Amino acid sequence: MRVLLIAPNGMLGRAWKGLLESEGVEHTAVGRPELDITRPETIASMVTPGCTHVVNCAAWTDVDGAESHEEEARRSNAGGPAALADAVRAIGARLVHYSTDYVFRGDGDAPYPVDTPRDPVSAYGRTKAEGEVLLEESGVDHLTIRTSWVYAPWGKNFVLTMRRLLTERDQVKVVDDQRGRPTSAEHLARASLGLMRADARGFFHVSDGGEATWFELARHIGDREGTTCAIEPCTTDAFPRPAKRPAYSVLDLSRTEALIGPMPDWRNNVNAVLEQL
Ligand SMILES: NC(=O)C1=CN([C@@H]2O[C@H](COP(=O)(O)OP(=O)(O)OC[C@H]3O[C@@H](n4cnc5c(N)ncnc54)[C@H](OP(=O)(O)O)[C@@H]3O)[C@@H](O)[C@H]2O)C=CC1
Ligand SMILES: Cc1cn([C@H]2C[C@H](O)[C@@H](COP(=O)(O)OP(=O)(O)O[C@H]3O[C@@H](C)C(=O)[C@@H](O)[C@H]3O)O2)c(=O)[nH]c1=O
């Protein structure tokens, strides 16, 4: 295995970089400006024969910002994977790509299997769904991993935001009517490598085990941190944001678990991240 890791300074990219180093996997890590997935000429100079897997951690992830900058988001989230797919196919390698629970409508009441029809409700979700389709249509050998609610001891994520808010405020309101699966970036990188080693191809879902609302996740963080801040549940309507989020966003993990075993409960993974801080 020889990996080209794209965007090693993002939340997931940093977890991947640490994993490749600790596992002794031969790799090259590159981000902007040397490799910008919206600039095919930079892709051609880095995606070269000898590489077996290209792991793409680059994306536009500002969900609210995508509502007013959809074309920009589309360039990274749809054009980017399409251009990568062409380059990766040309060298006969496999493209490992990430997508999101936000490609689904979010009005279900049972976990979404990998072949659930895409029906996004936000600009970010639309651009990520288009990326999935372009990648599939390109005919590239790919492993596309949908994940959700990613957090890490670094980067911009809900766990770090909430931990900070709990020290700054007397009270926070957190939505209790959006349900999903939190995902540790370090667990996600490890599970992804597990899928690659198991020769997985096509679409897979990876998250932590169990499920929660954002409020339940915030309350768990507050309990662990011994906060005195009051954490109040609220409805989505009471916490207006530019982008609509899916109400029910639980990814079905059965295809992944059949191949690499059960996913650890989110409480254990959140605790491990809090302990690292
Ligand atoms: N965060 C989450 O909760 C979730 C994330 N995902 C998916 O997981 C993947 C990783 O996300 P995450 O690590 O959280 O994202 P981050 O926003 O933390 O990191 C994204 C990285 O992509 C880089 N990047 C953005 N545009 C380009 C580009 N055009 N060319 C090269 N690099 C670029 C950024 O680089 P720079 O520093 O230069 O801006 C940054 O390093 C994405 O595909 C995302 O859609 C899926 C579900 C949930
Ligand atoms: C900070 C905060 C957020 N919220 C709510 C708003 C929103 O509904 C929810 C999560 O908000 P965030 O902005 O942290 O997360 P968001 O940007 O929606 O996170 C998403 O990112 C993209 C990249 C994905 O692919 C998704 O899987 C998901 O992780 O929590 C509160 O209710 N209270 C608060 O104090």
Side-chain angles (χ1 to χ4, degrees), residues 6-7 9-13 31-32 35-38 56-61 76 97-101 124 128 147-150 156:
I6 301 176
N9 299 318
M11 181 161 50
L12 176 60
R32 286 198 282 205
L35 201 169
D36 181 332
I37 59 170
T38 66
N56 175 34
C57 296
W60 175 294
T61 57
S76 284
H97 178 66
Y98 290 90
S99 192
T100 171
D101 53 327
Y124 165 75
K128 291 295 289 185
T147 185
S148 54
W149 299 21
V150 179
K156 185 176 173 301

PDB file of all heavy atoms in Angstrom, residues 6-7 9-13 31-32 35-38 56-61 76 97-101 124 128 147-150 156, ligand 1:
ATOM      1  N   ILE A   6      -4.547  13.567   0.789  1.00  0.00           N
ATOM      2  CA  ILE A   6      -4.847  14.954   0.397  1.00  0.00           C
ATOM      3  C   ILE A   6      -5.504  15.691   1.567  1.00  0.00           C
ATOM      4  O   ILE A   6      -6.446  15.176   2.181  1.00  0.00           O
ATOM      5  CB  ILE A   6      -5.776  14.980  -0.836  1.00  0.00           C
ATOM      6  CG1 ILE A   6      -5.091  14.249  -2.003  1.00  0.00           C
ATOM      7  CG2 ILE A   6      -6.121  16.416  -1.234  1.00  0.00           C
ATOM      8  CD1 ILE A   6      -5.959  14.137  -3.241  1.00  0.00           C
ATOM      9  N   ALA A   7      -5.004  16.879   1.859  1.00  0.00           N
ATOM     10  CA  ALA A   7      -5.505  17.759   2.932  1.00  0.00           C
ATOM     11  C   ALA A   7      -5.182  17.215   4.334  1.00  0.00           C
ATOM     12  O   ALA A   7      -6.080  16.998   5.159  1.00  0.00           O
ATOM     13  CB  ALA A   7      -7.011  18.029   2.776  1.00  0.00           C
ATOM     14  N   ASN A   9      -4.062  18.687   6.843  1.00  0.00           N
ATOM     15  CA  ASN A   9      -4.216  19.631   7.954  1.00  0.00           C
ATOM     16  C   ASN A   9      -5.669  19.847   8.365  1.00  0.00           C
ATOM     17  O   ASN A   9      -5.947  20.604   9.297  1.00  0.00           O
ATOM     18  CB  ASN A   9      -3.567  20.977   7.598  1.00  0.00           C
ATOM     19  CG  ASN A   9      -2.080  20.788   7.351  1.00  0.00           C
ATOM     20  OD1 ASN A   9      -1.414  20.050   8.085  1.00  0.00           O
ATOM     21  ND2 ASN A   9      -1.562  21.402   6.297  1.00  0.00           N
ATOM     22  N   GLY A  10      -6.590  19.224   7.686  1.00  0.00           N
ATOM     23  CA  GLY A  10      -7.994  19.304   8.086  1.00  0.00           C
ATOM     24  C   GLY A  10      -8.236  18.385   9.285  1.00  0.00           C
ATOM     25  O   GLY A  10      -7.314  17.691   9.748  1.00  0.00           O
ATOM     26  N   MET A  11      -9.462  18.384   9.785  1.00  0.00           N
ATOM     27  CA  MET A  11      -9.765  17.581  10.991  1.00  0.00           C
ATOM     28  C   MET A  11      -9.499  16.090  10.748  1.00  0.00           C
ATOM     29  O   MET A  11      -8.787  15.438  11.514  1.00  0.00           O
ATOM     30  CB  MET A  11     -11.217  17.808  11.414  1.00  0.00           C
ATOM     31  CG  MET A  11     -11.568  17.034  12.666  1.00  0.00           C
ATOM     32  SD  MET A  11     -13.017  17.651  13.506  1.00  0.00           S
ATOM     33  CE  MET A  11     -14.246  17.775  12.240  1.00  0.00           C
ATOM     34  N   LEU A  12     -10.045  15.550   9.670  1.00  0.00           N
ATOM     35  CA  LEU A  12      -9.844  14.126   9.375  1.00  0.00           C
ATOM     36  C   LEU A  12      -8.438  13.882   8.835  1.00  0.00           C
ATOM     37  O   LEU A  12      -7.799  12.876   9.179  1.00  0.00           O
ATOM     38  CB  LEU A  12     -10.899  13.662   8.360  1.00  0.00           C
ATOM     39  CG  LEU A  12     -10.759  12.223   7.866  1.00  0.00           C
ATOM     40  CD1 LEU A  12     -10.854  11.233   9.023  1.00  0.00           C
ATOM     41  CD2 LEU A  12     -11.836  11.921   6.812  1.00  0.00           C
ATOM     42  N   GLY A  13      -7.942  14.817   7.994  1.00  0.00           N
ATOM     43  CA  GLY A  13      -6.609  14.660   7.411  1.00  0.00           C
ATOM     44  C   GLY A  13      -5.541  14.508   8.490  1.00  0.00           C
ATOM     45  O   GLY A  13      -4.628  13.693   8.364  1.00  0.00           O
ATOM     46  N   GLY A  31      -1.360  19.202   0.732  1.00  0.00           N
ATOM     47  CA  GLY A  31      -2.583  20.019   0.753  1.00  0.00           C
ATOM     48  C   GLY A  31      -2.421  21.229  -0.137  1.00  0.00           C
ATOM     49  O   GLY A  31      -1.500  21.292  -0.959  1.00  0.00           O
ATOM     50  N   ARG A  32      -3.326  22.215   0.055  1.00  0.00           N
ATOM     51  CA  ARG A  32      -3.206  23.447  -0.733  1.00  0.00           C
ATOM     52  C   ARG A  32      -1.960  24.219  -0.297  1.00  0.00           C
ATOM     53  O   ARG A  32      -1.623  24.158   0.905  1.00  0.00           O
ATOM     54  CB  ARG A  32      -4.446  24.333  -0.467  1.00  0.00           C
ATOM     55  CG  ARG A  32      -5.668  23.782  -1.145  1.00  0.00           C
ATOM     56  CD  ARG A  32      -6.736  24.816  -1.272  1.00  0.00           C
ATOM     57  NE  ARG A  32      -7.458  25.042  -0.011  1.00  0.00           N
ATOM     58  CZ  ARG A  32      -8.700  25.516   0.075  1.00  0.00           C
ATOM     59  NH1 ARG A  32      -9.377  25.795  -1.010  1.00  0.00           N
ATOM     60  NH2 ARG A  32      -9.262  25.718   1.242  1.00  0.00           N
ATOM     61  N   LEU A  35      -1.461  20.966  -3.834  1.00  0.00           N
ATOM     62  CA  LEU A  35      -2.542  20.185  -4.459  1.00  0.00           C
ATOM     63  C   LEU A  35      -3.878  20.809  -4.080  1.00  0.00           C
ATOM     64  O   LEU A  35      -4.277  20.787  -2.913  1.00  0.00           O
ATOM     65  CB  LEU A  35      -2.497  18.712  -4.028  1.00  0.00           C
ATOM     66  CG  LEU A  35      -3.227  17.746  -4.983  1.00  0.00           C
ATOM     67  CD1 LEU A  35      -2.903  16.307  -4.642  1.00  0.00           C
ATOM     68  CD2 LEU A  35      -4.724  17.945  -5.032  1.00  0.00           C
ATOM     69  N   ASP A  36      -4.507  21.410  -5.067  1.00  0.00           N
ATOM     70  CA  ASP A  36      -5.834  22.017  -4.890  1.00  0.00           C
ATOM     71  C   ASP A  36      -6.781  21.216  -5.784  1.00  0.00           C
ATOM     72  O   ASP A  36      -6.598  21.177  -7.012  1.00  0.00           O
ATOM     73  CB  ASP A  36      -5.763  23.492  -5.320  1.00  0.00           C
ATOM     74  CG  ASP A  36      -7.095  24.214  -5.160  1.00  0.00           C
ATOM     75  OD1 ASP A  36      -8.152  23.555  -5.238  1.00  0.00           O
ATOM     76  OD2 ASP A  36      -7.066  25.437  -4.969  1.00  0.00           O
ATOM     77  N   ILE A  37      -7.755  20.550  -5.186  1.00  0.00           N
ATOM     78  CA  ILE A  37      -8.581  19.628  -5.986  1.00  0.00           C
ATOM     79  C   ILE A  37      -9.478  20.359  -6.995  1.00  0.00           C
ATOM     80  O   ILE A  37     -10.090  19.717  -7.841  1.00  0.00           O
ATOM     81  CB  ILE A  37      -9.418  18.664  -5.102  1.00  0.00           C
ATOM     82  CG1 ILE A  37     -10.357  19.411  -4.160  1.00  0.00           C
ATOM     83  CG2 ILE A  37      -8.502  17.715  -4.328  1.00  0.00           C
ATOM     84  CD1 ILE A  37     -11.355  18.502  -3.451  1.00  0.00           C
ATOM     85  N   THR A  38      -9.534  21.686  -6.915  1.00  0.00           N
ATOM     86  CA  THR A  38     -10.276  22.441  -7.947  1.00  0.00           C
ATOM     87  C   THR A  38      -9.346  22.826  -9.100  1.00  0.00           C
ATOM     88  O   THR A  38      -9.789  23.458 -10.050  1.00  0.00           O
ATOM     89  CB  THR A  38     -10.921  23.721  -7.366  1.00  0.00           C
ATOM     90  OG1 THR A  38      -9.873  24.621  -6.971  1.00  0.00           O
ATOM     91  CG2 THR A  38     -11.808  23.408  -6.185  1.00  0.00           C
ATOM     92  N   ASN A  56      -8.794  11.178  -0.114  1.00  0.00           N
ATOM     93  CA  ASN A  56      -9.188  12.577  -0.266  1.00  0.00           C
ATOM     94  C   ASN A  56      -9.923  13.093   0.974  1.00  0.00           C
ATOM     95  O   ASN A  56     -11.103  12.798   1.165  1.00  0.00           O
ATOM     96  CB  ASN A  56     -10.093  12.736  -1.490  1.00  0.00           C
ATOM     97  CG  ASN A  56     -10.613  14.162  -1.592  1.00  0.00           C
ATOM     98  OD1 ASN A  56      -9.900  15.107  -1.218  1.00  0.00           O
ATOM     99  ND2 ASN A  56     -11.833  14.313  -2.082  1.00  0.00           N
ATOM    100  N   CYS A  57      -9.217  13.869   1.798  1.00  0.00           N
ATOM    101  CA  CYS A  57      -9.855  14.486   2.975  1.00  0.00           C
ATOM    102  C   CYS A  57     -10.207  15.947   2.709  1.00  0.00           C
ATOM    103  O   CYS A  57     -10.599  16.663   3.633  1.00  0.00           O
ATOM    104  CB  CYS A  57      -8.930  14.396   4.182  1.00  0.00           C
ATOM    105  SG  CYS A  57      -8.616  12.710   4.700  1.00  0.00           S
ATOM    106  N   ALA A  58     -10.057  16.400   1.456  1.00  0.00           N
ATOM    107  CA  ALA A  58     -10.355  17.808   1.133  1.00  0.00           C
ATOM    108  C   ALA A  58     -11.836  17.977   0.840  1.00  0.00           C
ATOM    109  O   ALA A  58     -12.438  17.145   0.164  1.00  0.00           O
ATOM    110  CB  ALA A  58      -9.545  18.239  -0.087  1.00  0.00           C
ATOM    111  N   ALA A  59     -12.404  19.064   1.356  1.00  0.00           N
ATOM    112  CA  ALA A  59     -13.807  19.374   1.053  1.00  0.00           C
ATOM    113  C   ALA A  59     -14.136  20.767   1.570  1.00  0.00           C
ATOM    114  O   ALA A  59     -13.421  21.305   2.415  1.00  0.00           O
ATOM    115  CB  ALA A  59     -14.739  18.363   1.720  1.00  0.00           C
ATOM    116  N   TRP A  60     -15.224  21.317   1.057  1.00  0.00           N
ATOM    117  CA  TRP A  60     -15.852  22.512   1.649  1.00  0.00           C
ATOM    118  C   TRP A  60     -16.796  21.976   2.724  1.00  0.00           C
ATOM    119  O   TRP A  60     -17.740  21.257   2.414  1.00  0.00           O
ATOM    120  CB  TRP A  60     -16.626  23.286   0.581  1.00  0.00           C
ATOM    121  CG  TRP A  60     -17.391  24.453   1.134  1.00  0.00           C
ATOM    122  CD1 TRP A  60     -18.458  24.401   2.005  1.00  0.00           C
ATOM    123  CD2 TRP A  60     -17.157  25.847   0.897  1.00  0.00           C
ATOM    124  NE1 TRP A  60     -18.886  25.675   2.309  1.00  0.00           N
ATOM    125  CE2 TRP A  60     -18.109  26.583   1.645  1.00  0.00           C
ATOM    126  CE3 TRP A  60     -16.234  26.549   0.115  1.00  0.00           C
ATOM    127  CZ2 TRP A  60     -18.181  27.976   1.626  1.00  0.00           C
ATOM    128  CZ3 TRP A  60     -16.313  27.933   0.105  1.00  0.00           C
ATOM    129  CH2 TRP A  60     -17.267  28.636   0.853  1.00  0.00           C
ATOM    130  N   THR A  61     -16.549  22.336   3.999  1.00  0.00           N
ATOM    131  CA  THR A  61     -17.353  21.754   5.091  1.00  0.00           C
ATOM    132  C   THR A  61     -18.153  22.797   5.877  1.00  0.00           C
ATOM    133  O   THR A  61     -18.737  22.456   6.903  1.00  0.00           O
ATOM    134  CB  THR A  61     -16.446  20.988   6.076  1.00  0.00           C
ATOM    135  OG1 THR A  61     -15.451  21.896   6.569  1.00  0.00           O
ATOM    136  CG2 THR A  61     -15.777  19.800   5.409  1.00  0.00           C
ATOM    137  N   SER A  76     -15.258  22.412  -4.914  1.00  0.00           N
ATOM    138  CA  SER A  76     -14.472  21.474  -4.101  1.00  0.00           C
ATOM    139  C   SER A  76     -15.185  20.139  -3.896  1.00  0.00           C
ATOM    140  O   SER A  76     -14.558  19.086  -3.888  1.00  0.00           O
ATOM    141  CB  SER A  76     -14.179  22.080  -2.723  1.00  0.00           C
ATOM    142  OG  SER A  76     -13.163  23.052  -2.840  1.00  0.00           O
ATOM    143  N   HIS A  97     -12.700   8.251  -0.705  1.00  0.00           N
ATOM    144  CA  HIS A  97     -13.348   9.565  -0.652  1.00  0.00           C
ATOM    145  C   HIS A  97     -14.346   9.586   0.507  1.00  0.00           C
ATOM    146  O   HIS A  97     -14.841   8.531   0.918  1.00  0.00           O
ATOM    147  CB  HIS A  97     -14.063   9.794  -1.997  1.00  0.00           C
ATOM    148  CG  HIS A  97     -14.806  11.076  -2.070  1.00  0.00           C
ATOM    149  ND1 HIS A  97     -14.180  12.305  -2.046  1.00  0.00           N
ATOM    150  CD2 HIS A  97     -16.139  11.344  -2.165  1.00  0.00           C
ATOM    151  CE1 HIS A  97     -15.092  13.263  -2.119  1.00  0.00           C
ATOM    152  NE2 HIS A  97     -16.287  12.704  -2.179  1.00  0.00           N
ATOM    153  N   TYR A  98     -14.636  10.790   1.015  1.00  0.00           N
ATOM    154  CA  TYR A  98     -15.572  10.922   2.144  1.00  0.00           C
ATOM    155  C   TYR A  98     -16.816  11.695   1.750  1.00  0.00           C
ATOM    156  O   TYR A  98     -16.748  12.689   1.029  1.00  0.00           O
ATOM    157  CB  TYR A  98     -14.879  11.609   3.336  1.00  0.00           C
ATOM    158  CG  TYR A  98     -13.864  10.678   3.937  1.00  0.00           C
ATOM    159  CD1 TYR A  98     -12.554  10.672   3.493  1.00  0.00           C
ATOM    160  CD2 TYR A  98     -14.257   9.723   4.873  1.00  0.00           C
ATOM    161  CE1 TYR A  98     -11.635   9.763   3.987  1.00  0.00           C
ATOM    162  CE2 TYR A  98     -13.343   8.806   5.376  1.00  0.00           C
ATOM    163  CZ  TYR A  98     -12.043   8.838   4.928  1.00  0.00           C
ATOM    164  OH  TYR A  98     -11.154   7.915   5.416  1.00  0.00           O
ATOM    165  N   SER A  99     -17.944  11.214   2.242  1.00  0.00           N
ATOM    166  CA  SER A  99     -19.193  11.949   2.057  1.00  0.00           C
ATOM    167  C   SER A  99     -19.948  11.979   3.389  1.00  0.00           C
ATOM    168  O   SER A  99     -19.383  11.637   4.429  1.00  0.00           O
ATOM    169  CB  SER A  99     -20.010  11.349   0.912  1.00  0.00           C
ATOM    170  OG  SER A  99     -21.062  12.244   0.596  1.00  0.00           O
ATOM    171  N   THR A 100     -21.186  12.386   3.349  1.00  0.00           N
ATOM    172  CA  THR A 100     -21.860  12.829   4.568  1.00  0.00           C
ATOM    173  C   THR A 100     -23.286  12.301   4.702  1.00  0.00           C
ATOM    174  O   THR A 100     -23.955  12.040   3.697  1.00  0.00           O
ATOM    175  CB  THR A 100     -21.890  14.378   4.578  1.00  0.00           C
ATOM    176  OG1 THR A 100     -22.718  14.846   5.635  1.00  0.00           O
ATOM    177  CG2 THR A 100     -22.457  14.943   3.272  1.00  0.00           C
ATOM    178  N   ASP A 101     -23.744  12.224   5.944  1.00  0.00           N
ATOM    179  CA  ASP A 101     -25.151  11.935   6.227  1.00  0.00           C
ATOM    180  C   ASP A 101     -26.066  13.006   5.629  1.00  0.00           C
ATOM    181  O   ASP A 101     -27.236  12.745   5.382  1.00  0.00           O
ATOM    182  CB  ASP A 101     -25.374  11.855   7.751  1.00  0.00           C
ATOM    183  CG  ASP A 101     -24.873  13.085   8.499  1.00  0.00           C
ATOM    184  OD1 ASP A 101     -23.860  13.691   8.060  1.00  0.00           O
ATOM    185  OD2 ASP A 101     -25.472  13.456   9.523  1.00  0.00           O
ATOM    186  N   TYR A 124     -24.705  22.397   1.020  1.00  0.00           N
ATOM    187  CA  TYR A 124     -23.571  21.488   1.295  1.00  0.00           C
ATOM    188  C   TYR A 124     -23.947  20.054   0.901  1.00  0.00           C
ATOM    189  O   TYR A 124     -23.195  19.369   0.192  1.00  0.00           O
ATOM    190  CB  TYR A 124     -23.199  21.570   2.787  1.00  0.00           C
ATOM    191  CG  TYR A 124     -22.301  20.452   3.279  1.00  0.00           C
ATOM    192  CD1 TYR A 124     -20.943  20.426   2.959  1.00  0.00           C
ATOM    193  CD2 TYR A 124     -22.804  19.429   4.092  1.00  0.00           C
ATOM    194  CE1 TYR A 124     -20.117  19.401   3.419  1.00  0.00           C
ATOM    195  CE2 TYR A 124     -21.984  18.414   4.552  1.00  0.00           C
ATOM    196  CZ  TYR A 124     -20.646  18.395   4.219  1.00  0.00           C
ATOM    197  OH  TYR A 124     -19.834  17.381   4.678  1.00  0.00           O
ATOM    198  N   LYS A 128     -22.174  17.674  -1.999  1.00  0.00           N
ATOM    199  CA  LYS A 128     -21.555  16.386  -1.642  1.00  0.00           C
ATOM    200  C   LYS A 128     -22.241  15.248  -2.410  1.00  0.00           C
ATOM    201  O   LYS A 128     -21.583  14.311  -2.859  1.00  0.00           O
ATOM    202  CB  LYS A 128     -21.643  16.144  -0.136  1.00  0.00           C
ATOM    203  CG  LYS A 128     -20.791  17.064   0.723  1.00  0.00           C
ATOM    204  CD  LYS A 128     -19.295  16.910   0.516  1.00  0.00           C
ATOM    205  CE  LYS A 128     -18.730  15.623   1.063  1.00  0.00           C
ATOM    206  NZ  LYS A 128     -17.242  15.571   0.944  1.00  0.00           N
ATOM    207  N   THR A 147     -19.862   9.571   6.445  1.00  0.00           N
ATOM    208  CA  THR A 147     -19.737   9.657   7.882  1.00  0.00           C
ATOM    209  C   THR A 147     -20.581  10.823   8.381  1.00  0.00           C
ATOM    210  O   THR A 147     -21.276  11.467   7.591  1.00  0.00           O
ATOM    211  CB  THR A 147     -18.246   9.786   8.276  1.00  0.00           C
ATOM    212  OG1 THR A 147     -18.135   9.748   9.689  1.00  0.00           O
ATOM    213  CG2 THR A 147     -17.627  11.073   7.749  1.00  0.00           C
ATOM    214  N   SER A 148     -20.551  11.081   9.700  1.00  0.00           N
ATOM    215  CA  SER A 148     -21.454  12.105  10.254  1.00  0.00           C
ATOM    216  C   SER A 148     -20.887  12.693  11.540  1.00  0.00           C
ATOM    217  O   SER A 148     -20.188  12.006  12.295  1.00  0.00           O
ATOM    218  CB  SER A 148     -22.818  11.470  10.570  1.00  0.00           C
ATOM    219  OG  SER A 148     -22.659  10.337  11.419  1.00  0.00           O
ATOM    220  N   TRP A 149     -21.170  13.969  11.766  1.00  0.00           N
ATOM    221  CA  TRP A 149     -20.941  14.629  13.063  1.00  0.00           C
ATOM    222  C   TRP A 149     -19.511  14.362  13.575  1.00  0.00           C
ATOM    223  O   TRP A 149     -19.315  13.896  14.714  1.00  0.00           O
ATOM    224  CB  TRP A 149     -21.958  14.145  14.092  1.00  0.00           C
ATOM    225  CG  TRP A 149     -23.392  14.400  13.783  1.00  0.00           C
ATOM    226  CD1 TRP A 149     -23.973  14.642  12.574  1.00  0.00           C
ATOM    227  CD2 TRP A 149     -24.476  14.450  14.736  1.00  0.00           C
ATOM    228  NE1 TRP A 149     -25.328  14.832  12.702  1.00  0.00           N
ATOM    229  CE2 TRP A 149     -25.660  14.710  14.024  1.00  0.00           C
ATOM    230  CE3 TRP A 149     -24.559  14.277  16.119  1.00  0.00           C
ATOM    231  CZ2 TRP A 149     -26.905  14.822  14.643  1.00  0.00           C
ATOM    232  CZ3 TRP A 149     -25.798  14.377  16.736  1.00  0.00           C
ATOM    233  CH2 TRP A 149     -26.956  14.644  16.005  1.00  0.00           C
ATOM    234  N   VAL A 150     -18.519  14.664  12.740  1.00  0.00           N
ATOM    235  CA  VAL A 150     -17.128  14.318  13.075  1.00  0.00           C
ATOM    236  C   VAL A 150     -16.548  15.293  14.112  1.00  0.00           C
ATOM    237  O   VAL A 150     -16.776  16.501  14.039  1.00  0.00           O
ATOM    238  CB  VAL A 150     -16.258  14.316  11.798  1.00  0.00           C
ATOM    239  CG1 VAL A 150     -14.806  13.990  12.137  1.00  0.00           C
ATOM    240  CG2 VAL A 150     -16.796  13.298  10.786  1.00  0.00           C
ATOM    241  N   LYS A 156     -12.303  22.406  13.776  1.00  0.00           N
ATOM    242  CA  LYS A 156     -13.550  23.061  14.167  1.00  0.00           C
ATOM    243  C   LYS A 156     -14.629  21.985  14.262  1.00  0.00           C
ATOM    244  O   LYS A 156     -14.941  21.344  13.255  1.00  0.00           O
ATOM    245  CB  LYS A 156     -13.915  24.092  13.086  1.00  0.00           C
ATOM    246  CG  LYS A 156     -15.130  24.930  13.422  1.00  0.00           C
ATOM    247  CD  LYS A 156     -15.363  25.988  12.350  1.00  0.00           C
ATOM    248  CE  LYS A 156     -16.681  26.724  12.568  1.00  0.00           C
ATOM    249  NZ  LYS A 156     -17.855  25.830  12.566  1.00  0.00           N
TER     250      LYS A 156
HETATM  251  N1  LIG B   1     -16.754  17.539   9.749  1.00  0.00           N
HETATM  252  C1  LIG B   1     -17.809  16.732   9.744  1.00  0.00           C
HETATM  253  O1  LIG B   1     -18.620  16.726  10.681  1.00  0.00           O
HETATM  254  C2  LIG B   1     -18.040  15.802   8.600  1.00  0.00           C
HETATM  255  C3  LIG B   1     -17.182  15.717   7.519  1.00  0.00           C
HETATM  256  N2  LIG B   1     -17.475  14.876   6.462  1.00  0.00           N
HETATM  257  C4  LIG B   1     -16.579  14.799   5.334  1.00  0.00           C
HETATM  258  O2  LIG B   1     -15.302  14.343   5.790  1.00  0.00           O
HETATM  259  C5  LIG B   1     -14.268  14.911   4.987  1.00  0.00           C
HETATM  260  C6  LIG B   1     -13.229  15.576   5.875  1.00  0.00           C
HETATM  261  O3  LIG B   1     -13.864  16.640   6.578  1.00  0.00           O
HETATM  262  P1  LIG B   1     -13.146  17.450   7.761  1.00  0.00           P
HETATM  263  O4  LIG B   1     -11.806  16.909   8.037  1.00  0.00           O
HETATM  264  O5  LIG B   1     -14.140  17.551   8.854  1.00  0.00           O
HETATM  265  O6  LIG B   1     -13.020  18.882   7.080  1.00  0.00           O
HETATM  266  P2  LIG B   1     -12.133  20.145   7.470  1.00  0.00           P
HETATM  267  O7  LIG B   1     -12.933  21.341   7.078  1.00  0.00           O
HETATM  268  O8  LIG B   1     -11.605  20.022   8.840  1.00  0.00           O
HETATM  269  O9  LIG B   1     -10.900  19.995   6.476  1.00  0.00           O
HETATM  270  C7  LIG B   1     -11.065  20.143   5.102  1.00  0.00           C
HETATM  271  C8  LIG B   1      -9.705  20.263   4.487  1.00  0.00           C
HETATM  272  O10 LIG B   1      -9.897  20.367   3.069  1.00  0.00           O
HETATM  273  C9  LIG B   1      -9.005  21.315   2.583  1.00  0.00           C
HETATM  274  N3  LIG B   1      -9.534  21.835   1.335  1.00  0.00           N
HETATM  275  C10 LIG B   1     -10.691  22.491   1.123  1.00  0.00           C
HETATM  276  N4  LIG B   1     -10.843  22.752  -0.180  1.00  0.00           N
HETATM  277  C11 LIG B   1      -9.751  22.239  -0.788  1.00  0.00           C
HETATM  278  C12 LIG B   1      -9.317  22.198  -2.129  1.00  0.00           C
HETATM  279  N5  LIG B   1     -10.030  22.758  -3.103  1.00  0.00           N
HETATM  280  N6  LIG B   1      -8.155  21.577  -2.426  1.00  0.00           N
HETATM  281  C13 LIG B   1      -7.408  21.028  -1.444  1.00  0.00           C
HETATM  282  N7  LIG B   1      -7.754  21.057  -0.151  1.00  0.00           N
HETATM  283  C14 LIG B   1      -8.911  21.659   0.165  1.00  0.00           C
HETATM  284  C15 LIG B   1      -8.879  22.368   3.672  1.00  0.00           C
HETATM  285  O11 LIG B   1      -7.660  22.995   3.484  1.00  0.00           O
HETATM  286  P3  LIG B   1      -7.347  24.517   3.876  1.00  0.00           P
HETATM  287  O12 LIG B   1      -6.691  24.411   5.208  1.00  0.00           O
HETATM  288  O13 LIG B   1      -6.412  24.929   2.763  1.00  0.00           O
HETATM  289  O14 LIG B   1      -8.634  25.273   3.886  1.00  0.00           O
HETATM  290  C16 LIG B   1      -8.906  21.491   4.923  1.00  0.00           C
HETATM  291  O15 LIG B   1      -7.588  21.079   5.246  1.00  0.00           O
HETATM  292  C17 LIG B   1     -14.979  15.835   3.997  1.00  0.00           C
HETATM  293  O16 LIG B   1     -15.207  15.158   2.797  1.00  0.00           O
HETATM  294  C18 LIG B   1     -16.316  16.129   4.671  1.00  0.00           C
HETATM  295  O17 LIG B   1     -17.326  16.469   3.738  1.00  0.00           O
HETATM  296  C19 LIG B   1     -18.597  14.095   6.445  1.00  0.00           C
HETATM  297  C20 LIG B   1     -19.470  14.128   7.502  1.00  0.00           C
HETATM  298  C21 LIG B   1     -19.235  14.936   8.681  1.00  0.00           C
END
